[in-house]
Amino acid sequence: TSADQLTAGLEFKPFENLIIKTDVYRKQYENLRLHELNTSSLSNTGFETPWYFQNSGDATGLESLIRLSGPLFSLTQTHTLSTVKLQNDLLNSGEEFYAPWDRRHAFGTLLEVPVTQSITLYASYTHATGTVDFLPSEQLNTGSRLPDYRRLDLSASYVTSINSKKASVKFSVFNVTNRQNTWYREYQPAIFTRQSIPAIRAELVDVYDLGIQPSFELKLNF
């Protein structure tokens, strides 16, 4: 895989504790490897491998960042406006289509609160528009999208020194609200017993991203 990228940016600091930055970019991809869009398991693939090769792509975006820092807290707000399209002669009659990871808008908020010189609290919130809803019965360029993605993460870190060596302890909780963010949709067989003879039908179900996930990290630098 190869990629060419052209980026231009502007950054200025109107005040000592305020930074405003914006970047525009364009990326061109060649020879991307892409999983089959209509299969979720290797057993369903119609090829020897479930990969499409020789995909090309084109991505453009505008990224903005505002960071306000001070002795009591630091607040960072980001926004990305972007589009990513792919092309393969074997897919969608050779026409361009949106990449599986394409999101039109993505917002990120990070709050850092230093409680003491050693303890810092973090809160991170992510809100992004949905990715394209790829289904076997639909064309790739219909524009149908999954629901918006929202997630809140919390963490706390403690940094100290042990015999002149830096040590840190970090505890984090991913997706604190345990929100069910749709990762993708697929058809699954369901048995209906309302009639005298059970019937099997294909029902469209949501497959969710990770739910609430706590984690613990202990690090020693030497």
Side-chain angles (χ1 to χ4, degrees):
T1 300
S2 63
D4 296 322
Q5 178 171 331
L6 177 64
T7 304
L10 175 66
E11 177 180 336
F12 70 103
K13 198 172 183 181
F15 306 104
E16 181 64 25
N17 59 345
L18 178 63
I19 296 177
I20 301 175
K21 184 178 181 181
T22 183
D23 293 278
V24 293
Y25 66 86
R26 175 151 187 200
K27 300 179 184 179
Q28 291 183 315
Y29 303 94
E30 295 293 338
N31 299 318
L32 284 173
R33 185 175 68 172
L34 184 68
H35 196 278
E36 282 185 44
L37 301 179
N38 62 343
T39 179
S40 301
S41 64
L42 297 179
S43 60
N44 292 333
T45 180
F47 300 86
E48 294 181 0
T49 60
W51 305 106
Y52 285 109
F53 297 91
Q54 297 180 345
N55 299 286
S56 61
D58 186 74
T60 57
L62 170 66
E63 297 179 340
S64 303
L65 177 146
I66 300 176
R67 180 176 175 82
L68 177 65
S69 58
L72 299 180
F73 68 92
S74 294
L75 180 65
T76 304
Q77 178 65 52
T78 62
H79 172 242
T80 300
L81 172 65
S82 64
T83 181
V84 187
K85 285 190 173 183
L86 304 178
Q87 190 277 330
N88 189 317
D89 292 338
L90 298 177
L91 297 173
N92 202 38
S93 301
E95 298 292 331
E96 284 187 329
F97 57 93
Y98 289 110
W101 59 89
D102 175 83
R103 295 182 187 274
R104 192 65 62 248
H105 296 276
F107 299 89
T109 303
L110 175 62
L111 176 64
E112 306 171 51
V113 181
V115 180
T116 66
Q117 290 185 343
S118 301
I119 300 175
T120 305
L121 303 179
Y122 303 89
S124 174
Y125 181 73
T126 301
H127 182 186
T129 51
T131 55
V132 176
D133 187 5
F134 290 112
L135 290 175
S137 60
E138 295 184 359
Q139 296 295 321
L140 299 179
N141 56 1
T142 58
S144 176
R145 290 185 176 267
L146 299 175
D148 287 3
Y149 182 96
R150 298 186 182 93
R151 194 185 77 238
L152 174 65
D153 305 330
L154 299 178
S155 62
S157 68
Y158 174 76
V159 180
T160 187
S161 296
I162 302 177
N163 296 330
S164 71
K165 305 295 190 300
K166 183 179 179 180
S168 63
V169 178
K170 185 176 182 180
F171 178 75
S172 303
V173 181
F174 177 91
N175 196 4
V176 174
T177 60
N178 199 27
R179 177 179 169 84
Q180 294 180 329
N181 288 299
T182 303
W183 183 16
Y184 62 90
R185 288 175 174 153
E186 66 176 7
Y187 287 100
Q188 289 288 340
I191 299 178
F192 291 83
T193 57
R194 296 177 182 176
Q195 302 175 356
S196 58
I197 301 177
I200 299 178
R201 301 176 185 174
E203 287 291 313
L204 185 61
V205 299
D206 289 341
V207 179
Y208 296 117
D209 198 1
L210 292 175
I212 185 171
Q213 294 283 324
S215 64
F216 179 78
E217 177 186 278
L218 178 63
K219 183 186 294 185
L220 178 63
N221 298 330
F222 57 90

